[in-house]
Amino acid sequence: MAPLLEIRDARRTFLTPEGGRLAALDGVSLSVEANEFVTLLGPSGCGKTTLLRAISGFEALDSGTMVLDGADLSALPPFRRPVNTVFQSYALFGHMTVARNVGYALEVAGVAKSQREVQVAEVLEKVGLAGLGARRPGQLSGGQRQRVALARSIIAKPRLLLLDEPLSALDRNLRQQMQLELKSLQHALGIAFIFVTHDQEEALTMSDWIVVMRAGKIEQIGTPREIYRQPKNRFVAEFIGETNLFPVTVDRVEGGDALARTADGVELRLPVLGRKAGEQVTAILRPADFTLGPTGIPGRVSRAVYLGSDLYLFVQPQAGGPEIRVIARDNQDAREGSAVHLSHDPARVHVLEAG
Amino acid sequence: MRNPYGWAALTVFSLGFFLFIYAPLFVIIGYSFNSNPVNMMIWEHFTFDWYTGLFGLSDRETGVGNRAAYVESTDQMLAALRTSLTVAVFTTTISTVIGTATAIALARFKFRLRGFYNGFLMLPMMMPDIVLGIGLLIFFVTVGMNLSMLTIIIGHCTFLTSYVFIIVQARIAGLDPALEEASADLGASEWVTLRKVLLPQLAPGIMGGALLAFVISMDDLVITYFVSGTGDTTLPIFIFGMIRRGVKPEINAIATLIILASVVIAALGLWLRSRKTD
Ligand SMILES: Nc1ncnc2c1ncn2[C@@H]1O[C@H](COP(=O)(O)OP(=O)(O)O)[C@@H](O)[C@H]1O
Ligand SMILES: [Mg+2]
């Protein structure tokens, strides 16, 4: 079956005020299946909004194709595209009631008033705003406005919903709650979501697929686990979560593991598959991949941060080199200054070819 | 913290300032109830005669003996008021439509010479009235138009369009462009977006501009003086002509009514502006 949305080699260049050219989209290809939750993740300015606006029709592409449900999108003006958007600023109509805001797509499509009212009530219920239809957006809290924007964009049952950093204005608790709600709403509605964020935690929690972007290009597409455990390059590895990067030279293959060493002499065990003695690679280990024990890399705790059930440790290896970040259970006897050994499971090490 | 002397000085100063601004108005309001037909500065007794006279309800018109001193009749004064209102209504309508349309076009469409238009729309506001008046007069004479109510309306529209334009433009500049995008995103064509989102969002600015245009049109003397013919006289010109021969007491009553109307219009404008739209 053909994907719901298929973008091929999308390019968009802006002229900068200085007279230069800036490729906001530099050959982006992406396909989205029906009912998927896809997140565009990347640092500010990497082209996420531009890509979203190209799909909704507010930004034209210089070249490339976009096909939605078998129809070429480039020929359609924004108001004819079966795509709806949740805007970062919410963009609620302040002169209309909440109910009229929510029913706007139906009103414009010519749906009869009585029928509209039924659907509006239904959607308001779905987003947890039942009974607030008579209010004005100005009389709502930030979280409630967010829900109105959401309700308004799903009432016409689009095939695809675009969300541009919709949670960035909410405080942390509300945000985490909305993350879960959005995810279950997406599931219940059966609408594909393309969700933009620069927050990697948000991306990991919500997505079926994460698309990591940098400077107008896609760096990697994968499930949250793939992106986290098997980043394709240093950029992805460092952008997603806390990471320890070790540029190492493979020493020898011994039993089931490959032994490797940093320039400073820190020893690591890598998965043996495909390793040859003498090659240079980068080994990636997440803080939680280390355990404190009687054997392993010897070092000294230079800083310990209490996280509740866990301890976040900065360990200076005895051999030298950068500190290693470790998350350990709080029941271990590690405090600042204590000598520790860090061991790890070779299978948890992700190897980037060519250091 | 507070210096009591400074506080007292500030109070006195602000009272004095308000007195300075409003005393002339209160004097006129006071005079409008003075029954002395000859010298309004000498209080006789309280009367509504000048008001009832305005509406033809009283035949006491400035005293029979003094009648010859006044050339103008009350009817002429009311005719002038009618002319002013007619001019103001047409001018307000025309300049509000053109000013609003221009502001939207300049803010939302990209075309050549946009900056040039912007600058030129400001110009009539900054040009001295006298220059604009002479220019209009010369223009009308050159193209062979007879001076009439029509030329007054055209003259007023030339500069009031700029006022409306600037007020509406300020409102558009403060508008989130995402509102119109959201409307389009939800399936509304440009026309529907204009009707259902853009115009309602601009309504306070448009109303504000229209009220200002109305008030300025009612009030304008200099430009109107140049472009009005002998037939059609507006109220400001009528009053101006009258003052040179001595002021009829009815003028105080008219002035008081105009003050009242202005206060109502200004209050309406403030109320419209204060209505939150977001
Ligand atoms: N209309 C525009 N004119 C010029 N440059 C733009 C325009 N829109 C976006 N850009 C530039 O394109 C790049 C990508 O922008 P954007 O897609 O908004 O990034 P993101 O949403 O990932 O933060 C940025 O460097 C931005 O400055
Ligand atoms: Mg953005």
Side-chain angles (χ1 to χ4, degrees), chain A residues 1-333:
Chain A
M1 211 182 87
L4 175 66
L5 174 71
E6 173 97 61
I7 299 173
R8 281 233 185 87
D9 201 27
R11 286 173 195 278
R12 176 72 166 120
T13 307
F14 290 114
L15 294 176
T16 62
E18 296 78 33
R21 300 178 139 272
L22 189 144
L25 296 179
D26 195 5
V28 168
S29 298
L30 175 66
S31 61
V32 176
E33 302 285 343
N35 202 9
E36 276 181 349
F37 197 119
V38 176
T39 298
L40 303 181
L41 176 66
S44 183
C46 71
K48 307 180 297 288
T49 297
T50 306
L51 181 56
L52 226 54
R53 290 173 62 81
I55 298 170
S56 54
F58 297 114
E59 204 70 73
L61 291 178
D62 297 335
S63 67
T65 57
M66 289 186 298
V67 177
L68 182 75
D69 246 353
D72 180 15
L73 276 185
S74 57
L76 298 177
F79 68 93
R80 290 203 202 286
R81 300 190 183 194
V83 171
N84 286 146
T85 305
V86 177
F87 290 81
Q88 188 170 7
S89 60
Y90 308 156
L92 299 178
F93 307 130
H95 60 288
M96 299 179 188
T97 60
V98 165
R100 191 157 168 233
N101 265 281
V102 172
Y104 189 79
L106 303 181
E107 177 184 332
V108 163
V111 175
K113 190 151 189 277
S114 55
Q115 207 178 332
R116 232 154 61 201
E117 278 165 1
V118 174
Q119 291 193 45
V120 167
E122 217 169 83
V123 174
L124 280 178
E125 171 87 49
K126 223 175 259 175
V127 299
L129 288 180
L132 294 185
R135 295 224 194 146
R136 299 257 168 176
Q139 299 166 314
L140 298 179
S141 70
Q144 290 172 325
R145 284 184 216 189
Q146 163 73 72
R147 288 158 193 267
V148 175
L150 189 62
R152 185 177 69 173
S153 62
I154 59 176
I155 196 166
K157 303 192 174 65
R159 300 296 312 273
L160 178 62
L161 188 68
L162 310 175
L163 305 98
D164 193 355
E165 310 209 19
L167 307 182
S168 60
L170 305 180
D171 63 51
R172 192 181 159 80
N173 282 337
L174 195 52
R175 204 154 124 180
Q176 288 177 337
Q177 186 192 339
M178 281 303 291
Q179 287 173 7
L180 298 176
E181 281 187 34
L182 268 180
K183 178 68 191 150
S184 53
L185 189 70
Q186 185 265 332
H187 205 75
L189 291 171
I191 297 175
F193 278 26
I194 300 183
F195 181 95
V196 164
T197 182
H198 61 259
D199 179 339
Q200 43 95 12
E201 218 179 292
E202 203 163 274
L204 291 174
T205 333
M206 305 173 76
S207 322
D208 295 324
W209 298 97
I210 295 178
V211 178
V212 184
M213 291 180 69
R214 171 167 65 158
K217 286 194 165 78
I218 292 179
E219 293 284 325
Q220 186 172 359
I221 302 179
T223 63
R225 179 168 277 111
E226 278 167 9
I227 298 277
Y228 190 75
R229 301 257 33 129
Q230 290 140 37
K232 259 190 191 156
N233 54 40
R234 278 185 83 116
F235 173 80
V236 177
E238 285 180 316
F239 195 74
I240 313 286
E242 295 280 342
T243 315
N244 295 293
L245 292 172
F246 300 94
V248 291
T249 309
V250 177
D251 215 25
R252 61 186 191 280
V253 176
E254 187 188 79
D257 307 334
L259 264 149
R261 209 184 292 275
T262 68
D264 296 305
V266 175
E267 270 196 26
L268 295 172
R269 298 175 162 276
L270 314 185
V272 75
L273 191 72
R275 297 280 73 84
K276 300 187 292 287
E279 71 179 336
Q280 300 199 322
V281 295
T282 300
I284 296 178
L285 276 139
R286 300 290 177 181
D289 293 336
F290 287 103
T291 42
L292 301 184
T295 59
I297 306 162
R300 191 168 293 281
V301 177
S302 52
R303 205 141 53 87
V305 180
Y306 182 61
L307 296 180
S309 59
D310 292 327
L311 266 181
Y312 197 103
L313 305 174
F314 293 82
V315 177
Q316 177 61 58
Q318 218 167 58
E323 288 178 329
I324 301 172
R325 296 145 187 240
V326 178
I327 291 179
R329 305 299 299 176
D330 183 34
N331 54 19
Q332 271 146 341
D333 189 27

Side-chain angles (χ1 to χ4, degrees), chain B residues 2 23 34 54 61 63 87 91 93 109 120 123 133 159 164-165 170 177 189 193 196 218 229 242 248 250 269 272-273:
Chain B
R2 255 187 221 158
N34 182 2
L54 278 182
E61 229 192 56
V87 168
T91 304
T93 311
F109 302 104
F120 262 68
L123 210 54
F159 67 102
V164 175
F165 167 77
S189 64
T193 298
K196 291 186 186 264
M218 283 294 287
M242 184 188 247
K248 241 163 106 77
E250 278 94 343
L272 280 171
R273 288 193 63 165

Side-chain angles (χ1 to χ4, degrees), chain B residues 162-183:
Chain B
S162 299
Y163 279 85
V164 175
F165 167 77
I166 282 163
I167 291 177
V168 176
Q169 193 193 38
R171 179 90 195 167
I172 294 189
L175 214 59
D176 182 1
L179 288 180
E180 289 149 79
E181 287 182 356
S183 173

